[in-house]
C-alpha cells in the first residue's frame, strides 16, 4: 500500500502497532522475554529524548527549580514493567490536590508501561494515553518528541487544574 506522507502524525508508530496486533508480536518478537528486551532497549533510546524535554519544561515553566528522575524499568506490581520519567518541583511537592480527592499533588509524569498480559508496551502520561511504544532506533526515539511534549504540557496543565495557576513558578513573572 502507498500511504501519504504525514506532516506531524506518527504514522510509522501506529502502522507498526497494527502490524504487531495482526501478527501477535512486538516488533517481530514472539515471546515475553524477547519483547521485554526490546522494551528495555527502547527505554535506553527514549531516555535522553524524554529527559531533554523535561529539562526544557523545567527551564520554561519552573525557573530551573525542578528535579528530574528516571524510575525503572521496574516491576509494575502486577508482573509487568514500567518506566517513569518524573519532573517535580518545590511548590508541587508541598501542594495538595484541591480539585478532586485530597492527596499530594503528583509530579509531571511520562510513563512507558508494558503490563502483564499486554501484547506490547504503551507510552502515556499519568492522566492520558495510551500511544504505541514503537522505539527500536534513535530515529524512532526522536519521532516521539511531539507526543512527549504533548504529554508534558497536558501534565503541567493538569497540575494547574488540580490546584491553581500559582503552582508553576513562572506564573509569578506574568504581568
Amino acid at each position: 500500500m502507498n500511504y501519504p506522507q504525514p506532516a506531524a502524525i506518527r504514522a510509522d508508530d501506529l502502522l507498526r502497532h497494527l502490524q504487531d496486533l495482526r501478527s501477535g508480536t512486538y516488533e517481530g518478537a514472539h515471546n515475553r522475554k524477547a519483547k521485554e528486551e526490546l522494551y528495555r532497549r527502547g527505554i535506553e533510546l527514549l531516555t535522553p529524548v524524554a529527559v531533554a524535554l523535561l529539562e526544557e519544561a523545567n527551564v520554561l515553566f519552573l525557573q530551573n527549580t525542578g528535579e528530574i528522575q528516571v524510575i525503572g524499568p521496574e516491576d509494575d506490581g502486577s508482573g509487568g514493567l514500567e518506566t517513569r520519567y518524573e519532573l517535580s518541583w518545590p511548590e508541587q511537592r508541598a501542594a495538595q490536590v484541591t480539585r478532586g480527592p485530597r492527596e499530594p499533588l503528583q509530579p509531571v509524569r511520562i510513563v512507558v508501561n508494558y503490563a502483564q498480559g499486554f501484547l506490547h508496551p504503551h507510552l502515556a502520561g499519568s492522566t492520558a494515553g495510551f500511544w504505541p511504544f514503537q522505539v527500536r532506533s534513535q530515529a524512532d526515539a526522536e519521532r516521539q518528541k511531539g507526543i512527549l511534549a504533548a504529554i508534558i504540557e497536558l501534565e503541567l496543565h493538569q497540575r494547574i487544574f488540580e490546584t491553581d495557576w500559582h503552582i508553576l513558578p513562572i506564573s509569578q513573572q506574568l504581568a
Side-chain angles (χ1 to χ4, degrees):
M1 253 185 233
N2 191 8
Y3 298 103
Q5 195 66 331
I9 294 175
R10 299 173 324 137
D12 284 351
D13 295 80
L14 190 54
L15 293 172
R16 284 164 53 186
H17 181 74
L18 289 170
Q19 181 61 35
D20 286 350
L21 292 170
R22 182 173 183 228
S23 65
T25 65
Y26 173 49
E27 296 288 348
H30 291 275
N31 65 54
R32 179 73 188 201
K33 184 176 187 221
K35 292 176 182 182
E36 285 184 4
E37 288 173 12
L38 287 172
Y39 169 89
R40 290 177 188 281
R41 178 65 181 136
I43 293 298
E44 288 175 16
L45 293 164
L46 187 69
T47 294
V49 177
V51 169
L53 287 168
L54 289 168
E55 282 289 355
E56 187 176 322
N58 181 31
V59 170
L60 286 169
F61 303 110
L62 308 179
Q63 299 181 317
N64 214 24
T65 63
E67 294 177 17
I68 295 170
Q69 282 190 293
V70 179
I71 303 162
E74 63 185 12
D75 188 297
D76 67 0
S78 299
L81 290 172
E82 181 176 272
T83 303
R84 294 187 317 274
Y85 303 94
E86 296 187 348
L87 174 60
S88 65
W89 62 100
E91 293 84 352
Q92 166 266 316
R93 288 189 292 272
Q96 293 282 314
V97 172
T98 58
R99 290 185 187 97
R102 191 88 170 146
E103 60 188 23
L105 187 65
Q106 297 299 305
V108 165
R109 285 193 177 117
I110 298 168
V111 181
V112 187
N113 183 271
Y114 184 18
Q116 186 66 30
F118 274 51
L119 182 63
H120 47 244
H122 292 90
L123 177 62
S126 64
T127 59
F130 295 90
W131 289 271
F133 184 66
Q134 308 291 144
V135 177
R136 293 198 58 189
S137 69
Q138 190 60 48
D140 289 345
E142 292 291 325
R143 192 177 54 252
Q144 308 310 308
K145 282 182 177 178
I147 293 299
L148 297 173
I151 290 170
I152 293 167
E153 182 180 341
L154 175 105
E155 290 275 312
L156 285 166
H157 180 261
Q158 185 67 25
R159 300 314 170 263
I160 294 167
F161 177 79
E162 292 171 332
T163 57
D164 70 28
W165 60 274
H166 295 96
I167 198 69
L168 298 183
I170 193 66
S171 68
Q172 304 309 313
Q173 292 184 359
L174 303 176

